[in-house]
Amino acid sequence: MGVIPLMVALVFVVAIGAYSSPSYAATASQTVTVTVPEAISIVVPNVDFGSIAAGSEGTSPAFTVSNTGNVKIDLYVKADASAFTSPTATDTIPITGFNIFSNVTGNYQNITTSSLKIYDNMNKASQGAGTPTTWTTTLRLFVPPFTEDGTYTITNTYTAVKHNSPAP
């Protein structure tokens, strides 16, 4: 056998060997994404000071604000009017003597008709169980001397924004 037939035979054997076993597996990578939307949610109870004598200051019972959402928040409060009013009395109780204990300052701050930051970076509800993060605070109110007897009310609006977002 000559050199040329030997080379042809070797090329044939090598070619058969290279293509004789089929491929049964391949791999690929996949990236999977999911977006969890913000859910900002708070719970704030109503507060009843009880009786405060005219010319005196009273402190409310402690109450708890709850962050039931899935983001860290900054919490703001504002009074919806400039005074407490009564359906039966002609007097009002101005909000100039209306305060809330603030987490931001560690002191009482005056509530006005503009948003006041009272908590900075309140943690979100716990993952899984959803147990809310809570904060307990109190209000103070000065009732001017000789204020007419009656039940006075005001509405406060609490607003939660995502931590470090612009104030409402």
Side-chain angles (χ1 to χ4, degrees), residues 36-151:
V36 178
E38 289 179 6
I40 297 176
S41 175
I42 56 173
V43 176
V44 181
N46 291 331
V47 173
D48 184 348
F49 273 92
S51 293
I52 302 174
S56 300
E57 182 176 78
T59 301
S60 74
F63 63 96
T64 301
V65 178
S66 301
N67 180 0
T68 56
N70 69 350
V71 296
K72 292 179 180 180
I73 61 167
D74 295 335
L75 185 64
Y76 295 81
V77 66
K78 71 174 186 170
D80 289 352
S82 60
F84 286 71
T85 58
S86 172
T88 59
T90 56
D91 288 338
T92 61
I93 302 172
I95 61 172
T96 54
F98 187 36
N99 304 287
I100 187 165
F101 191 84
S102 170
N103 166 273
V104 174
T105 64
N107 295 304
Y108 281 94
Q109 289 187 272
N110 189 246
I111 297 175
T112 67
T113 55
S114 297
S115 291
L116 170 69
K117 188 179 206 178
I118 56 172
Y119 200 105
D120 182 62
N121 199 20
M122 182 182 241
N123 213 356
K124 67 176 193 66
S126 64
Q127 185 179 17
T131 305
T133 296
T134 60
W135 170 57
T136 302
T137 190
T138 55
L139 300 168
R140 280 195 322 208
L141 177 64
F142 177 75
V143 177
F146 305 102
T147 299
E148 186 177 358
D149 69 312
T151 300

